[in-house]
Amino acid sequence: FDSEGSIIYNDILVDNKTVSGKDALKKVIENVRGFAGQLKKQVRIHINLLGPDAVGTFNSWEDEMIAKGDLHALAFEDNREKLVASVISLVNEFGVDGIYFDYEYPIKSNHKKAFGNFLRELKKNMPDKILGAALASWCMDLSRSAIDSLDAVEIMAYDQFDFLGNHSSFESGVSAIEAFIEQGYERKKLSLGIPFYARPSDQGAFWYSYSLEAD
């Protein structure tokens, strides 16, 4: 979605042909439902929404996150009514079971407040659908009402290191889960995200993909 509260479908390239992002999403959902039907399985389908990225050159990661947060706040506050309507329209059009938000990362208190108020308003308008979010332990301090509005939370405990330099260790996962529970998140709503990539022990800015090794 953009800062004006509209849903954006990114076109993709398939066999050297440009395919409408909306058509691609429809096809993916059809395929999942078709495959689940063949297996006689019931599945729940959620759409994961990403917000606007900051554009430009920044002196630090924090500056970039603040600029990104300002854009998100425009969507969550100034254009909240439109974004809520856009999300509900999306859910109804595709007949999915819920919506997740992957907001990386609200680091200022006013950005967290805007996000929390939006989550509460969205849940109020779609009480029968699942509302989820991916959150890290260092930016999950949302309001009590926002926490209660969430039905599911993916804990982003990756990209963290222990004192030996191990990436995404078992201990870091446990620590993150405990932090969420202490903050007031219900244990049954929590899932732990696991990285399918490696990081160097010096914590350098390098993300190694296992698929490269497989190739």
Side-chain angles (χ1 to χ4, degrees), residues 170-197:
F170 176 81
E171 288 76 15
S172 68
V174 170
S175 177
I177 292 169
E178 290 174 343
F180 273 82
I181 293 172
E182 289 175 8
Q183 188 69 25
Y185 290 81
E186 292 184 63
R187 188 187 305 268
K188 65 181 180 181
K189 294 182 179 181
L190 301 177
S191 298
L192 181 64
I194 298 174
F196 282 84
Y197 59 89

Side-chain angles (χ1 to χ4, degrees), residues 48-106:
N48 191 44
L49 286 178
L50 304 177
D53 270 326
V55 178
T57 304
F58 302 93
N59 294 323
S60 67
W61 177 85
E62 287 79 8
D63 288 344
E64 183 180 355
M65 290 302 102
I66 291 171
K68 182 176 181 177
D70 289 341
L71 293 175
H72 277 68
L74 285 173
F76 293 148
E77 290 186 323
D78 299 51
N79 298 305
R80 182 185 304 163
E81 186 175 334
K82 180 178 178 181
L83 182 57
V84 167
S86 297
V87 171
I88 292 173
S89 177
L90 174 72
V91 168
N92 291 337
E93 180 175 359
F94 290 95
V96 294
D97 300 284
I99 292 287
Y100 272 70
F101 288 89
D102 189 6
Y103 181 3
E104 302 178 19
Y105 298 93

